[in-house]
């Protein structure tokens, strides 16, 4: 680092932002041995849950477990802060189960900071980054400078700025406040510099619902939703202290219920009558918001035949009576929000503790990044989280891991770590972003994955532990825990193959599943192949007391029940790897390939895919374009061989 920069102190990697993405980026780089500075505008808000204090859900729960499998903090902090746990889709079978946890907001934030600062090579610094220090001739990032004119040097910088880049809060059409979130100032100087450097982007919006005082709610007529904590955890890392599941399992906080109510005709009318005062519908906001997390105004306008909208009253923590009104995201004025809330059953006398609002912010086109989340235009600059046009804590965390790992690997001169679509939802997320780009805030769904039978929440560790081991992500305590957890599945398979179950033992399990009874003893593995018949139930009925984790049992059960489907999907994965992993040279002259359509040439020139498979996923590149590209590559290879003779 040139002394002329006048840096206060230097690191290998600087992470800008202390949200879900920034924390995971810092921890990932630190686990690889890098010296990391995490710079954030307020140290007290590291790990802050800016919107709903919940982790997981459909696809998101799998990402959270993938982050955990790679040594991240999200799953560990969630287990330490869980107020209520639900395993979604349990009626549909383990293949589509999705873990979701409501967290104590304060406990989660404190757990994240504690887990982050447990890494001795992570240094947290308070400050707002004003600009990047750049060698423009070499197109290389050298560090950052804060508004306080403090300078820090690094060989790689990861930007995880969330909604702070020129953030603007909207409370109806009448009130707008500059801010990254309520109570925090926006980052304007950095946004301006990125724009001046020619990095193209746009504006997106998101929103949050009002919060209410639980003491002012009449719960007597509301449906109660209890926790399903049972033996579920997000993380594998903190309860495996023996070859069998310890009886002294992770001690979650005392569980709390949620309550269900509805915004019915009365609330809908108030919203409809005041649409002109909504920032979204009154013309104050012109940017797009997340389609799959609509505001209540969107629900009223786009679903006119729906009489009522389900709302969840979710606790914020043990140390507060405040409740989060999930399902009521809005940009209406505060006085309209009060009126709307009091039209909801159970909330007739409610007191609103915080008004909901919409927020607009800058994002940058993720097709300017490669699959490591590095910006192609400047060496050493990575981007992760909402700056890339995504929405959601889990999506941010997954990107943070990718950017943090690759920033450290680049500094260390090691090969990059690229996650495939067939190995993880993180791979799907990153590939979608850098290949297809975004025209609205991106949210991950299971339908985005071609291999969702193989990429599940229960097998995240089995899928990604080889990556963690190869990179050296696990410490000396964790390595045997990983081995122990993965060995479980082999033990269960062997046990199910050799253990028989009698008709008398199996009868209660089979009757519960409405399955035919046995006339003689059979191996457990054969009976577990039947639909609706639980492997865990069979093991218990046969007197097996293994103390195995539910995840391991679920994985084995799925392997037994759906082996044919898995074999076909894995064959498709191998075919994809053979064809899709064909590398594309960075200097390919796509513009000169006249066999490709004009649109395909333009898109390929802009995205610069690394592989033939990635090229095929670019919007605007047709199947015939892909076939012609393969022919062009073959011709190029023949010409190269001819010139070498």
């Amino acid at each position: 680092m040139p002394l002329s920069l006048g840096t206060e102190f230097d690191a290998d990697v600087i992470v800008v932002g202390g949200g879900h993405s920034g924390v995971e980026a810092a921890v990932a780089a630190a686990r690889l041995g890098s010296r990391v500075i995490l710079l954030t505008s307020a140290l007290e808000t590291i790990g802050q849950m800016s919107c709903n204090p919940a982790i997981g859900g459909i696809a998101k729960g799998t990402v959270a477990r993938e982050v955990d499998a790679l040594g991240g903090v999200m799953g560990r902090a969630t287990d330490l802060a869980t107020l209520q746990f639900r395993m979604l889709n349990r009626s549909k079978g383990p293949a589509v189960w999705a873990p979701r946890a409501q967290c104590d907001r304060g406990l989660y934030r404190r757990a994240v900071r504690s887990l982050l600062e447990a890494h001795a090579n992570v240094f947290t610094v308070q400050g707002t980054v004003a600009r990047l220090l750049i060698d423009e001739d070499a197109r290389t990032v050298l560090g950052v400078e804060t508004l306080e004119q403090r300078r820090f040097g690094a060989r790689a910088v990861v930007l995880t700025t969330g909604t702070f880049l020129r953030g603007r809060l909207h409370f109806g059409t009448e009130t707008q406040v500059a801010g990254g979130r309520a109570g925090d100032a926006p980052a304007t100087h950095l946004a301006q510099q990125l724009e001046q450097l020619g990095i193209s982007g746009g504006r997106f919006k998101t929103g949050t619902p009002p919060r209410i005082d639980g003491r002012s709610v009449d719960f007597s007529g509301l449906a109660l939703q209890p926790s399903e904590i049972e033996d579920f955890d997000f993380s594998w890392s903190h309860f495996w202290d023996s070859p069998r599941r310890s009886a002294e399992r992770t001690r979650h906080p005392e569980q709390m219920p949620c309550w269900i109510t509805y915004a019915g005709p009365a609330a809908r009318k108030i919203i409809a009558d005041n649409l002109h005062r909504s920032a979204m519908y009154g013309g104050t906001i012109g940017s797009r918001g997340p389609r799959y997390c609509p505001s209540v105004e969107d629900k009223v306008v786009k679903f006119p035949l729906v009489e009522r909208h389900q709302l969840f009253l979710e606790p914020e923590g043990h140390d507060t009576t405040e409740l989060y009104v999930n399902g009521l995201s809005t940009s209406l004025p505060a006085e309209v929000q009060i009126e709307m809330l009091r039209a909801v059953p159970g909330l007739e006398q409610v007191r609103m503790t915080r008004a909901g609002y919409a927020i607009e912010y800058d994002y940058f086109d993720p097709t300017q990044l490669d699959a490591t989340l590095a910006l192609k235009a400047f060496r050493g600059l990575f981007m992760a989280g909402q700056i890339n046009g995504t929405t959601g804590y889990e999506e941010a965390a997954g990107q943070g891991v990718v950017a943090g790992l690759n920033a450290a690997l680049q500094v260390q001169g090691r090969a990059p770590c690229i996650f495939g679509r067939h190995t993880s939802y993180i791979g799907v997320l990153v590939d979608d972003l850098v290949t297809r780009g975004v025209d609205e805030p991106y949210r991950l769904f299971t339908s985005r994955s071609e291999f969702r039978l193989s990429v599940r929440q229960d097998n995240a560790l089995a899928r990604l532990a080889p990556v963690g081991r190869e990179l050296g992500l696990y410490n000396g305590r964790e390595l045997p825990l990983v081995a122990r957890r993965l060995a479980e599945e082999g033990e269960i398979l062997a046990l199910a193959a050799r253990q028989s179950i009698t008709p008398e033992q199996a009868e209660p399990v089979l009757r519960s599943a409405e399955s035919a009874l046995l006339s003689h003893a059979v191996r457990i593995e054969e009976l577990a192949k039947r639909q609706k018949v639980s492997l865990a139930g069979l093991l218990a009925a046969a007197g097996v007391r293994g103390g195995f984790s539910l995840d391991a049992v679920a994985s084995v059960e799925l392997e037994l029940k759906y082996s044919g489907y898995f074999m076909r999907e894995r064959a498709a994965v191998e075919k994809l790897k053979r064809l899709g992993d064909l590398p594309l040279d960075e200097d390919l002259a796509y513009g000169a390939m006249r066999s490709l359509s004009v649109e395909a040439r333009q898109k390929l020139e802009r995205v610069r895919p690394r592989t033939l498979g990635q090229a095929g996923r670019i919007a605007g590149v047709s199947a015939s374009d892909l076939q012609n590209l393969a022919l062009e590559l073959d011709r190029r290879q023949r010409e190269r061989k001819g010139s070498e003779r």
Side-chain angles (χ1 to χ4, degrees):
M1 182 66 59
L3 293 176
S4 59
L5 285 176
T7 54
E8 185 175 322
F9 70 94
D10 298 343
D12 298 310
V13 177
I14 289 175
V15 177
V16 179
H20 304 282
S21 190
V23 166
E24 300 298 353
V27 168
R31 278 183 174 269
L32 291 182
S34 288
R35 179 180 167 97
V36 182
I37 297 172
L38 186 144
L39 257 165
T40 184
S41 57
L43 294 179
E44 295 77 12
T45 60
I46 288 175
Q48 176 75 17
M49 300 176 115
S50 302
C51 197
N52 188 5
I55 297 295
I58 308 301
K60 292 171 174 284
T62 306
V63 173
R65 285 195 153 182
E66 289 176 352
V67 168
D68 182 68
L70 293 165
V73 304
M74 177 171 273
R76 304 176 189 214
T78 299
D79 286 341
L80 294 171
T82 296
L83 291 177
Q84 189 195 73
F85 185 93
R86 307 285 292 183
M87 184 64 82
L88 307 181
N89 283 340
R90 291 182 75 175
S91 63
K92 299 180 181 179
V96 291
W97 284 8
R100 182 185 185 273
Q102 192 73 18
C103 295
D104 182 306
R105 191 186 294 274
L107 283 178
Y108 184 88
R109 185 180 65 249
R110 291 191 289 275
V112 167
R113 187 168 179 182
S114 176
L115 290 163
L116 172 71
E117 293 180 348
H119 295 273
N121 50 340
V122 174
F123 306 92
T124 54
V125 177
Q126 182 164 300
T128 299
V129 172
R131 68 186 186 99
L132 300 169
L133 303 176
I134 293 176
D135 181 339
E136 295 204 28
D137 292 332
R139 308 287 283 180
T140 301
V141 175
L142 303 176
V144 301
E145 181 179 284
T146 71
L147 287 177
E148 302 83 7
Q149 297 187 337
R150 300 175 71 185
R151 289 187 166 198
F152 303 91
R155 295 167 61 191
V157 173
V158 183
L159 297 181
T160 68
T161 51
T163 60
F164 278 70
L165 292 181
R166 287 192 283 219
R168 191 165 185 81
L169 282 58
H170 296 261
F171 300 85
T173 55
E174 299 94 341
T175 306
Q176 289 83 46
V177 179
R181 61 181 165 227
D184 292 309
T188 57
H189 297 78
L190 180 58
Q192 291 167 358
Q193 183 193 27
L194 293 172
E195 194 172 60
Q196 290 165 1
L197 291 172
I199 306 171
S200 62
R203 299 277 282 174
F204 276 158
K205 83 98 183 172
T206 189
T208 189
R211 273 71 153 179
I212 60 175
D213 187 339
R215 294 172 299 180
S216 63
V217 176
D218 179 3
F219 296 106
S220 60
L222 306 185
L224 183 143
Q225 187 180 58
S227 176
E228 299 176 337
I229 193 68
E230 299 173 8
D231 289 327
F232 292 109
D233 290 280
F234 265 93
S235 181
W236 54 272
S237 64
H238 47 194
F239 55 85
W240 288 100
D241 54 6
S242 71
R244 294 287 181 264
R245 180 75 179 266
S246 170
E248 297 180 4
R249 61 187 306 278
T250 303
R251 292 176 181 242
H252 297 283
E254 181 184 350
Q255 298 298 284
M256 299 178 71
C258 295
W259 293 268
I260 300 172
T261 185
Y262 297 87
R268 284 178 56 90
K269 185 177 188 307
I270 292 167
I271 296 163
D273 290 346
N274 287 278
L275 277 176
H276 63 287
R277 302 184 66 192
S278 161
M280 276 296 294
Y281 286 90
T284 309
I285 295 178
S287 51
R288 298 193 67 173
R291 182 191 311 179
Y292 302 104
C293 187
S295 67
V296 71
E297 295 98 298
D298 279 332
K299 294 176 183 178
V300 168
V301 171
K302 295 177 180 178
F303 305 101
L305 300 181
V306 176
E307 290 189 0
R308 63 179 192 169
H309 303 281
Q310 190 174 57
L311 307 177
F312 293 88
L313 307 184
E314 300 174 333
E316 295 263 325
H318 280 295
D319 60 351
T320 178
T321 61
E322 198 170 33
L323 298 174
Y324 180 95
V325 188
N326 193 352
L328 211 64
S329 178
T330 182
S331 63
L332 286 164
E335 64 267 26
V336 178
Q337 293 185 40
I338 282 282
E339 186 181 1
M340 171 180 64
L341 284 167
R342 290 178 177 171
V344 172
L347 309 186
E348 292 85 355
Q349 305 298 321
V350 79
R351 291 186 296 273
M352 184 171 71
T353 55
R354 310 184 209 196
Y357 59 86
I359 180 169
E360 279 189 296
Y361 57 94
D362 285 1
Y363 77 96
F364 292 93
D365 182 356
T367 61
Q368 297 167 107
L369 310 173
D370 65 21
T372 68
L373 295 182
L375 191 69
K376 299 171 187 175
F378 290 90
R379 179 170 177 77
L381 184 57
F382 296 76
M383 293 182 172
Q386 282 180 286
I387 194 173
N388 291 338
T390 63
T391 183
Y393 301 153
E394 301 81 4
E395 287 87 345
Q399 292 173 73
V401 171
V402 174
L405 287 177
N406 283 292
L409 291 169
Q410 184 182 93
V411 168
Q412 295 168 11
R414 297 168 63 184
C417 178
I418 297 174
F419 294 88
R421 298 180 71 90
H422 56 286
T423 62
S424 64
Y425 273 113
I426 291 176
V428 172
L429 164 68
V430 172
D431 187 62
D432 280 355
L433 291 175
V434 303
T435 304
R436 299 172 181 172
V438 292
D439 57 10
E440 63 185 35
Y442 177 100
R443 181 178 176 186
L444 195 62
F445 287 98
T446 53
S447 59
R448 297 190 191 273
S449 172
E450 305 91 327
F451 307 109
R452 51 190 175 273
L453 276 181
S454 302
V455 180
R456 306 184 308 272
Q457 58 87 25
D458 62 274
N459 65 4
L461 186 63
R463 287 184 282 111
L464 294 176
V467 176
R469 284 170 168 157
E470 183 179 353
L471 292 176
L473 289 178
Y474 306 126
N475 61 34
R477 171 187 166 274
E478 291 168 339
L479 277 169
L481 301 186
V482 171
R484 196 173 297 157
R485 164 63 182 84
L486 298 183
E488 266 201 314
E489 293 181 24
E491 291 180 42
I492 297 168
L493 273 170
L495 184 61
R498 69 172 183 265
Q499 178 76 40
S500 293
I501 187 169
T502 67
E504 294 75 22
Q505 291 172 323
E507 183 176 352
V509 180
L510 297 178
R511 286 194 183 279
S512 176
E514 298 179 343
S515 187
L517 301 182
L518 298 178
S519 58
H520 56 83
V522 299
R523 302 290 184 189
I524 288 178
E525 68 171 0
E526 290 301 318
L527 205 53
K529 293 178 182 179
R530 294 188 187 182
Q531 292 303 307
K532 299 182 180 180
V533 174
S534 162
L535 175 59
L538 292 174
L539 292 172
V544 175
R545 297 289 181 263
F548 299 114
S549 73
L550 291 182
D551 284 341
V553 175
S555 293
V556 172
E557 181 175 342
L558 290 169
E559 289 291 337
L560 293 173
K561 278 184 167 60
Y562 304 109
S563 58
Y565 294 102
F566 289 161
M567 287 177 62
R568 286 196 290 272
E569 186 163 282
R570 285 162 187 159
V573 167
E574 289 304 313
K575 182 178 180 181
L576 175 70
K577 289 175 68 176
R578 287 196 304 273
L579 298 176
D581 288 351
L582 183 66
L584 300 177
D585 293 341
E586 291 185 5
D587 62 347
L588 279 176
Y590 295 108
M593 297 180 182
R594 300 300 172 186
S595 61
L596 306 182
S597 68
V598 173
E599 182 181 8
R601 278 179 267 160
Q602 292 173 342
K603 295 286 181 66
L604 289 166
E605 284 281 2
R606 181 165 61 89
V607 175
R608 290 274 158 194
R610 286 176 173 246
T611 65
L612 188 65
Q614 187 184 6
R617 292 188 292 275
I618 298 173
V621 177
S622 67
S624 59
D625 286 323
L626 198 64
Q627 185 177 12
N628 289 334
L629 176 57
L631 293 173
E632 292 275 3
L633 295 174
D634 185 58
R635 179 180 60 78
R636 180 186 173 101
Q637 188 175 28
R638 289 199 309 271
E639 289 175 352
R640 185 181 297 160
K641 287 181 178 178
S643 65
E644 292 172 354
R645 290 181 183 144

